[in-house]
Amino acid sequence: MAHVEDVQHPFWVTDSDRGVQPPLTDQAIVDAERLLDVTLPASLLDLLREQNGGLVASGRDAFPTSRPTSWAPDHVPFDAVMGIGHREDTLSMLDGPYLVEEWGLPAGVVLISGDGHYWIGLDYRTCGRQGEPSIVWFDADDSSELTLAPDFRSFVAGLTSALEFGSA
């Protein structure tokens, strides 16, 4: 089986601890999957084992879109990934159930990135809690959503630099 690191490297900003949770353990994964009531994608867990959340390298900080969003006419930002943990003043995937409710997002979604006005999440609504979720952009301001990729591995493979779009 190919790993995410075979697809794109480097993925993480390694000289900043912003958004980084403590190193991921097998028990933390079990606890997170129990709390979130889903099976997290193996490709996402591979990345989180490398670094448990944080800033994404500048060459991988955007995803092209097929239609305009409130962010840009041709892409969405992906500058950070939430890890799994309880580090103070740091968003975590474990905060997802609260954030989904707070921002009026659909049930069946696990958030992996965002700032409140927009979110990128794993969408389990079609595949079920144990399936391979698609990756979806949620715009909380205009209550819209856009499927970005059929799975996390494809999403990572499609990441590119925001600079390619003429805006960062």
Side-chain angles (χ1 to χ4, degrees):
M1 180 172 129
H3 293 284
V4 169
E5 56 263 25
D6 299 335
V7 176
Q8 308 271 331
H9 227 42
F11 186 84
W12 298 109
V13 169
T14 56
D15 60 355
S16 170
D17 69 349
R18 189 173 137 220
V20 179
Q21 297 288 341
L24 190 61
T25 64
D26 290 341
Q27 187 60 52
I29 294 169
V30 168
D31 293 345
E33 290 183 333
R34 185 176 299 126
L35 172 79
L36 300 169
D37 195 25
V38 298
T39 299
L40 294 168
S43 53
L44 172 60
L45 294 174
D46 286 346
L47 276 175
L48 295 179
R49 284 184 183 101
E50 194 177 302
Q51 179 176 299
N52 192 5
L55 300 176
V56 175
S58 61
R60 308 286 171 241
D61 60 356
F63 192 88
T65 58
S66 58
R67 66 174 171 79
T69 65
S70 63
W71 181 263
D74 53 4
H75 73 284
V76 296
F78 189 70
D79 58 351
V81 178
M82 289 185 228
I84 296 171
H86 297 286
R87 185 170 158 215
E88 194 172 329
D89 298 324
T90 302
L91 278 183
S92 163
M93 277 194 270
L94 304 177
D95 298 315
Y98 164 77
L99 294 168
V100 163
E101 185 175 334
E102 176 73 16
W103 288 95
L105 301 172
V109 170
V110 174
L111 302 176
I112 60 171
S113 187
D115 76 349
H117 298 282
Y118 70 84
W119 299 98
I120 293 175
L122 307 170
D123 188 352
Y124 288 88
R125 293 176 292 178
T126 302
C127 68
R129 296 185 318 263
Q130 310 309 316
E132 185 71 27
S134 59
I135 309 305
V136 177
W137 161 270
F138 297 95
D139 190 312
D141 289 338
D142 68 8
S143 300
S144 66
E145 62 182 75
L146 175 64
T147 299
L148 300 174
D151 55 57
F152 188 76
R153 183 174 170 69
S154 299
F155 176 74
V156 169
L159 289 170
T160 188
S161 172
L163 296 175
E164 291 185 21
F165 299 98
S167 64

